[in-house]
Amino acid sequence: MGYTYVMSDIHGMAHLLRAMLEKIGFSGEDRLYILGDMIDRGPDPAGVMDLVAVHENITALRGNHEDTFAQWYESTPPEERTGYFYNTWDVLQNDPVKRERIPEYVSWMKRLPLYKKVKMDGSCYLMAHASTEESMRMWKRKDNFLWDTSFIERGTGVPAYISIVGHVPTFILRGYPDEPATIWRSPNGRIIDVDCGAAFPSRGGRLGCLCLETGEEFYQMEA
């Protein structure tokens, strides 16, 4: 029997992702959900995407960074594709092999789902990058899934569900403490934020990972 893991906001830190998979002993019997923002900031966005894409038992959701990059790429004429907000474009452009695969990466980002519902062991989970509320509405607005920080700020969640999100590093929610970042839970237990700020080691950020079956928390930070 395998385990179910959740993490988010890896932000190009492929080395931390590889180390985390080794730490948890990730196998073909396990399932991993990554709640978006796999690119930008860190040094190896392609490494994260390539690793995720080749594993059938890893389900990635779309974050605001994937959505923004794909929109920028498709709406910008080729001769004007310079000066992107973050480093993903430059990193991919500077590698001849990765440069040729940019259309493939963009197509992959566009296909990523916005949310996921998971039922297991008597609990119902809603997963999305920033907010899960839209998943319960008939007319679903993309931007709320990707950007809505008020969902965490209100802290009420969605009744009868446990929502798991990222987007807001947990060290921000805790007021920038001196200790390393940890996974955050709302007082009523309906919201879990697993974004521990992997790309912000100077703030105590590290990659966080939650096992749904056991409740165990795993962390991987820069050496």
Side-chain angles (χ1 to χ4, degrees):
M1 175 183 171
Y3 292 101
T4 308
Y5 300 95
V6 188
M7 63 180 78
S8 187
D9 293 77
I10 300 167
H11 278 302
M13 307 294 274
H15 58 296
L16 295 185
L17 175 59
R18 288 190 290 266
M20 179 64 81
L21 295 180
E22 183 175 350
K23 176 174 287 188
I24 65 178
F26 190 68
S27 73
E29 296 182 349
D30 299 321
R31 168 66 61 179
L32 170 62
Y33 295 94
I34 298 177
L35 310 185
D37 280 10
M38 292 164 281
I39 64 170
D40 294 339
R41 304 191 191 279
D44 192 6
V48 177
M49 291 188 287
D50 290 342
L51 191 156
V52 172
V54 299
H55 282 80
E56 293 184 357
N57 57 338
I58 297 181
T59 298
L61 305 186
R62 196 186 325 169
N64 58 291
H65 282 260
E66 288 83 24
D67 192 68
T68 301
F69 183 86
Q71 285 188 12
W72 172 82
Y73 178 82
E74 294 200 326
S75 64
T76 305
E79 65 275 11
E80 297 179 16
R81 288 178 186 147
T82 58
Y84 182 65
F85 316 108
Y86 294 96
N87 65 329
T88 294
W89 173 253
D90 289 336
V91 170
L92 298 180
Q93 272 288 106
N94 291 336
D95 183 298
V97 176
K98 294 171 184 174
R99 183 190 311 139
E100 293 299 316
R101 296 186 59 199
I102 291 176
E104 174 189 340
Y105 287 130
V106 169
S107 177
W108 182 79
M109 293 181 208
K110 290 174 59 182
R111 295 196 306 271
L112 295 173
L114 294 170
Y115 71 98
K116 186 74 176 178
K117 293 182 181 180
V118 177
K119 185 175 182 180
M120 53 179 294
D121 298 334
S123 295
C124 296
Y125 297 93
L126 291 175
M127 302 180 192
H129 180 62
S131 171
T132 63
E133 286 181 317
E134 289 298 308
S135 63
M136 310 304 291
R137 295 172 176 149
M138 181 175 294
W139 304 109
K140 296 174 172 56
R141 294 166 293 185
K142 180 184 71 172
D143 283 357
N144 283 1
F145 282 114
L146 302 176
W147 294 94
D148 185 13
T149 59
S150 69
F151 178 70
I152 280 185
E153 291 167 0
R154 293 193 306 275
T156 53
V158 178
Y161 287 89
I162 299 173
S163 294
I164 309 179
V165 296
H167 190 55
V168 180
T170 61
F171 57 73
I172 294 178
L173 298 176
R174 293 193 168 98
Y176 298 93
D178 292 331
E179 63 268 14
T182 57
I183 291 168
W184 177 90
R185 291 170 172 80
S186 64
N188 66 8
R190 288 181 182 168
I191 305 175
I192 301 174
D193 183 353
V194 294
D195 175 8
C196 294
F200 302 97
S202 64
R203 295 287 189 178
R206 51 187 180 167
L207 183 60
C209 179
L210 175 67
C211 178
L212 297 187
E213 285 85 358
T214 67
E216 288 180 277
E217 300 175 9
F218 301 88
Y219 298 98
Q220 187 67 45
M221 61 193 309
E222 291 282 20

